[in-house]
């Protein structure tokens, strides 16, 4: 059974760095072809893909946010991470991690992140 | 970016009706290498995560009722829901994965 769960700070101030953790089970990011992605959803911009990381540590980023994003993984603990620097109120959203098979077949429950001073 | 344009943005239906949601991409999603269209459909109910319904344009995910049908190729795709049930009232999104993923703006299915 595949499950994913996101965790994060909930609220942070403008200019701070957001650190998110995706803890998953039912598959391994050391398995050939496996990939985990991060997607966010805000009322203003809908669903927006942010980044993904592959079993071989290849990483891909949304070009519009690439300078602010860092994705990484801890294979032994079945976790993936996303950092977003210089957060702004426009980054207020629900952040999801999902298993990426060229489509997102399993999603976490999401973590709401609010950026406010 | 590949821009995904969904229509309509909202749709009011009665139970038992058949509905069609359209999704148009700004460039072809058909891979010349394997002849597959990299287009997926998701359903999202209030307070829940998106749920995968259809992938590769027409392949139904395991456990998805057969009243959900995906079709289309190239740049034009359709999600058809036959005999809509109350549990189908939700937001629906298309998503391409031909290049880095992008989503449509969504279609809200409401009760008439």
């Amino acid at each position: 059974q595949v499950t994913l769960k996101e965790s994060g700070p909930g609220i942070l101030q403008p200019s701070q760095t957001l650190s998110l953790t995706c803890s998953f089970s039912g598959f391994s990011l050391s398995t050939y072809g496996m990939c985990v992605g991060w997607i966010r959803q805000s009322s203003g911009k809908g669903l927006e893909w942010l980044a993904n990381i592959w079993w071989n540590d290849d990483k891909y980023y949304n070009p519009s946010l690439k300078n602010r994003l860092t994705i990484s993984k801890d294979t032994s603990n079945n976790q993936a991470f996303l950092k977003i620097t210089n957060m702004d109120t426009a980054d207020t959203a629900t952040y999801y991690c999902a298993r990426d098979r060229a489509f997102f077949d399993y999603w976490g429950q999401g973590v709401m992140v609010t950026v406010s001073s | 970016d590949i821009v995904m344009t969904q229509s309509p943005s909202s749709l009011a239906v009665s139970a038992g009706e058949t509905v069609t949601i359209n999704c148009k991409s700004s460039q072809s999603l058909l891979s010349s290498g394997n002849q597959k269209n990299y287009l997926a459909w998701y359903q999202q109910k209030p307070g829940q995560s998106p749920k995968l319904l259809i992938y590769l344009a027409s392949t139904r995910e395991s456990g998805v009722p057969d009243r959900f049908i995906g079709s289309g190729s190239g740049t034009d795709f359709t999600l058809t829901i036959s005999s809509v049930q109350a549990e189908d009232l939700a937001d629906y999104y298309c998503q391409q994965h031909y290049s880095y993923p992008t989503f449509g703006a969504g279609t809200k299915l409401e009760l008439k």
Side-chain angles (χ1 to χ4, degrees), chain A residues 41 96 100 102-104 107-108, chain B residues 42 44 49-50 55 93 97 100-101:
Chain A
Q41 185 172 31
Y96 297 99
D100 185 345
F103 41 85
F104 302 103
W107 295 63
Chain B
Y42 301 87
Q44 187 177 32
S49 311
Y55 60 93
Y93 297 91
H97 209 305
Y100 80 85

Side-chain angles (χ1 to χ4, degrees), chain A residues 39 41 47-49 52 62-63 96 100-105 107-110, chain B residues 38 40 42 44 48-52 55-56 61 93 95 97 100-103:
Chain A
I39 304 106
Q41 185 172 31
L47 287 160
E48 181 178 33
W49 174 78
N52 64 17
N62 186 318
Y96 297 99
D100 185 345
R101 293 174 53 206
F103 41 85
F104 302 103
D105 60 350
W107 295 63
Q109 65 190 22
Chain B
Y38 284 87
Y42 301 87
Q44 187 177 32
Q48 296 184 16
S49 311
K51 172 190 173 184
L52 177 68
Y55 60 93
L56 296 175
E61 175 71 333
Y93 297 91
Q95 173 242 323
H97 209 305
Y100 80 85
T102 52
F103 293 83

Side-chain angles (χ1 to χ4, degrees), chain B residues 20-79:
Chain B
T20 298
I21 299 170
N22 301 297
C23 180
K24 188 175 183 66
S25 57
S26 60
Q27 63 188 74
S28 177
L29 306 183
L30 177 64
S31 169
S32 57
N34 59 13
Q35 291 299 297
K36 293 184 187 297
N37 286 280
Y38 284 87
L39 189 283
W41 289 96
Y42 301 87
Q43 176 194 67
Q44 187 177 32
K45 297 181 179 179
Q48 296 184 16
S49 311
K51 172 190 173 184
L52 177 68
L53 296 176
I54 304 284
Y55 60 93
L56 296 175
S58 60
T59 303
R60 204 176 295 115
E61 175 71 333
S62 175
V64 173
D66 58 8
R67 63 180 180 274
F68 291 91
I69 300 167
S71 61
S73 183
T75 61
D76 292 283
F77 300 89
T78 299
L79 175 68

Side-chain angles (χ1 to χ4, degrees), chain A residues 15-100:
Chain A
S15 81
Q16 288 187 318
T17 295
L18 172 64
S19 293
L20 296 170
T21 299
C22 174
S23 301
F24 55 87
S25 63
F27 68 99
S28 173
L29 258 181
S30 63
T31 300
Y32 178 90
M34 283 299 171
C35 180
V36 168
W38 287 93
I39 304 106
R40 70 181 179 183
Q41 185 172 31
S42 63
S43 56
K45 294 194 74 174
L47 287 160
E48 181 178 33
W49 174 78
L50 301 175
N52 64 17
I53 188 165
W54 291 78
W55 89 101
N56 60 357
D57 213 36
D58 280 351
K59 302 161 187 174
Y60 297 90
Y61 297 100
N62 186 318
S64 66
L65 293 160
K66 183 174 182 176
N67 292 340
R68 300 174 52 207
L69 302 177
T70 304
I71 194 169
S72 60
K73 62 181 172 69
D74 178 350
T75 302
S76 58
N77 287 308
N78 286 338
Q79 292 181 315
F81 310 98
L82 184 70
K83 288 188 188 297
I84 308 178
T85 61
N86 195 24
M87 291 288 283
D88 181 78
T89 55
D91 297 310
T92 292
T94 297
Y95 288 76
Y96 297 99
C97 62
R99 192 173 73 167
D100 185 345

